Amino acid sequence: MKKALCASVALATMAIAATPAYAGTAELLKRLHEKGILSDEEYAELLAEEAKPSPVAASAAPAGDTMTRATESVDSSRNVRMTESGIGLEVGPATITFSGSVNGFYVHDNPATPTARTAVTGGIASVGGNNSSAIRNGLLPGFLKVSVAAKQSGWDVGATFGMYPGINSTAYGTLGANNGGQPTALATAGIDFRQTFMTFGKPDVGTFKIGRDIGLFASEAILNDITLLSSGTPGNNVAPANTTLGRIGVGYIYTDFQPQITYTSPSFSGLQASVGVFQPLSSLTGPAESNSAPGFQGKLTYDGKFGEVATRLWVSGITQKHDVVGGGSFTGSGIDFGGKVTVGPLTATGYYYTASGLGTTVLGLFDTGVRQTGPGVAKRDSSGFYAQALATFGKVSVGGSYGESRLDYASNADRLANPNLLDVNSSYVGQVRYGLTSWVTLIGEYIHSKAVAHSGNKAESDAVALGGILFF
């Protein structure tokens, strides 16, 4: 203990005193002794040490050269420093940052009274006469992201790892951590490792990305959706999975996190383009596939400000050829566009998509995109939209949105084989937020969801979500 204290005091005095600086150091030791920080014995010992001639001072080198040599002897690549912003540190030439989120909601879902006309294939509204309660994640699971960035040979390089755990237990299956829930004792939560990618680029060249990350098509739809921070349509609330649905299948198709090689251009007065080659995906509900060509996606965005009006506009597209095992093929494709306008405390967002062979419901890209029965392969067309507004007054925000997703038959044979196929999913949402701190937002939400089949079958449900989300 004594040695540690003496060493600490010696380091402190050396740090604030010039060489030679016996008089100034002695004064500091005297004050520490008077305040009782140093005992008589420690004070005498340190004073005697300071009185000894410094080996550096005894050398022929001037004091300035001594400081230079001392500085040069430090390996800067081993230095650890605080980052200027965020949570992280700088280790030599690299910046390591940590970010994350945790959320949880009490969700009570109340389906309409069951009848013989509630069956809707691809519907998002809960069916059955029993209410359900759950403590669950919202549209976002929790996440922890670790990023490392550095400048090497004139290039900005980086790597990102993103883990997304849910708070509910998962029944592992085809969809991994995104499978249905298992609300039993001793079950475990799932971890969706959505992100693992590298980047390299230059300000005047643009940025290349290789790895797994969010897609380009429909990414703006979910990133600008107010239910991203809350619940939206619950989906299965009896056995909750990693997330709710938000507006997935009720206004847009889920973009997903996908293996990719993408390029993003520099910003030209607010205009920026991204294009990418993607891992080809097989349909979850269609015929078996063995795909020979990759998928392609692109996105164009514009950010501008006109006086007091801030805008963000976008358009994106997707296309992929699907080779069906046993013969035949089809190409799934889609395009969307939207915009967000902010004036004072009000932000309004509008979005629309149209697609063929891409599907529309909740299992992901290409789900329900082709008919599942009958000879050959026939594509179904789909479309959807949502409109929303959010007004913020100090710490309080009030918002609302409405959206629909529609699915058409591929043919008359498809109609005969699937009479209860989804015609339209719709929902409207009312939301209130309160910014408790810069990290924590408390949220209350009401959601009415409705699914209608081409046959006229209908299912409806009303839900309330109360909880909060934290970002750091």
Side-chain angles (χ1 to χ4, degrees):
M1 179 69 180
K2 175 183 173 182
K3 290 182 179 180
L5 178 59
C6 293
S8 299
V9 174
L11 287 171
T13 57
M14 290 170 64
I16 66 172
T19 303
Y22 172 66
T25 304
E27 182 64 24
L28 175 62
L29 292 175
K30 179 181 177 182
R31 291 181 182 180
L32 293 175
H33 178 241
E34 289 173 347
K35 292 179 179 292
I37 298 174
L38 295 177
S39 67
D40 293 341
E41 182 182 351
E42 291 166 344
Y43 174 60
E45 184 178 343
L46 289 171
L47 201 61
E49 287 293 324
E50 284 300 314
K52 294 179 181 179
S54 167
V56 176
S59 69
D65 288 351
T66 301
M67 185 63 70
T68 301
R69 290 180 184 178
T71 303
E72 290 176 348
S73 67
V74 176
D75 184 357
S76 62
S77 68
R78 298 176 181 270
N79 287 351
V80 178
R81 301 174 298 279
M82 293 173 57
T83 54
E84 293 184 1
S85 62
I87 297 178
L89 64 156
E90 294 179 1
V91 183
T95 299
I96 304 172
T97 56
F98 302 87
S99 61
S101 178
V102 179
N103 74 80
F105 294 88
Y106 168 76
V107 179
H108 184 82
D109 194 20
N110 180 18
T113 302
T115 70
R117 292 169 56 79
T118 58
V120 181
T121 304
I124 49 83
S126 301
V127 295
N130 295 327
N131 297 346
S132 63
S133 293
I135 307 297
R136 61 183 302 181
N137 284 116
L139 178 52
L140 276 177
F143 68 81
L144 174 64
K145 291 201 308 184
V146 181
S147 298
V148 182
K151 196 173 189 69
Q152 298 180 340
S153 302
W155 290 88
D156 297 314
V157 300
T160 296
F161 303 90
M163 299 168 284
Y164 291 71
I167 65 173
N168 287 94
S169 300
T170 299
Y172 280 91
T174 304
L175 302 178
N178 292 321
N179 231 57
Q182 183 177 323
T184 63
L186 303 181
T188 60
I191 298 179
D192 179 358
F193 216 122
R194 297 185 182 185
Q195 293 174 300
T196 171
F197 64 87
M198 59 174 282
T199 58
F200 58 94
K202 294 182 178 181
D204 57 343
V205 172
T207 301
F208 296 87
K209 178 191 295 182
I210 302 175
R212 183 186 183 97
D213 195 20
I214 195 169
L216 299 177
F217 173 74
S219 60
E220 294 290 330
I222 191 170
L223 294 176
N224 288 285
D225 176 13
I226 61 172
T227 71
L228 181 64
L229 305 187
S230 55
S231 169
T233 297
N236 186 359
N237 202 54
V238 176
N242 250 14
T243 69
T244 59
L245 295 179
R247 282 212 166 278
I248 297 172
V250 206
Y252 53 80
I253 300 171
Y254 182 47
T255 177
D256 214 341
F257 287 73
Q258 306 166 56
Q260 60 188 272
I261 300 175
T262 58
Y263 165 75
T264 299
S265 74
S267 177
F268 300 100
S269 300
L271 190 65
Q272 194 167 39
S274 298
V275 293
V277 180
F278 286 73
Q279 162 68 29
L281 301 176
S282 297
S283 171
L284 281 163
T285 56
E289 300 175 22
S290 179
N291 298 313
S292 59
F296 300 93
Q297 297 184 35
K299 182 170 72 171
L300 186 66
T301 62
Y302 172 75
D303 291 288
K305 192 165 185 180
F306 307 93
E308 298 301 315
V309 180
T311 62
R312 179 173 178 83
L313 308 174
W314 66 86
V315 58
S316 66
I318 182 173
T319 185
Q320 182 195 314
K321 182 184 177 183
H322 298 253
D323 299 315
V324 178
V325 174
S329 66
F330 71 96
T331 298
S333 59
I335 187 170
D336 70 353
F337 55 87
K340 179 172 69 174
V341 177
T342 300
V343 183
L346 180 65
T347 298
T349 305
Y351 172 82
Y352 176 81
Y353 77 89
T354 181
S356 180
L358 200 60
T360 193
T361 50
V362 299
L363 290 180
L365 292 168
F366 308 109
D367 171 39
T368 66
V370 296
R371 70 182 184 195
Q372 302 170 48
T373 57
V377 178
K379 297 187 294 183
R380 294 167 175 161
D381 293 336
S382 60
S383 62
F385 72 91
Y386 75 82
Q388 72 180 27
L390 183 71
T392 301
F393 307 96
K395 291 189 173 186
V396 178
S397 298
V398 180
S401 69
Y402 177 81
E404 295 182 359
S405 287
R406 295 181 174 273
L407 184 64
D408 296 332
Y409 282 117
S411 63
N412 192 52
D414 190 20
R415 180 185 299 274
L416 294 174
N418 301 285
N420 294 327
L421 181 69
L422 171 74
D423 182 16
V424 57
N425 279 324
S426 65
S427 74
Y428 55 80
V429 175
Q431 185 184 101
V432 178
R433 303 177 183 176
Y434 177 74
L436 185 67
T437 73
S438 60
W439 285 16
V440 178
T441 301
L442 304 180
I443 302 174
E445 191 172 69
Y446 166 75
I447 312 101
H448 177 79
S449 305
K450 182 178 179 180
V452 180
H454 285 276
S455 65
N457 281 7
K458 181 174 65 174
E460 297 183 70
S461 65
D462 295 282
V464 174
L466 299 171
I469 188 167
L470 177 150
F471 289 97
F472 68 88

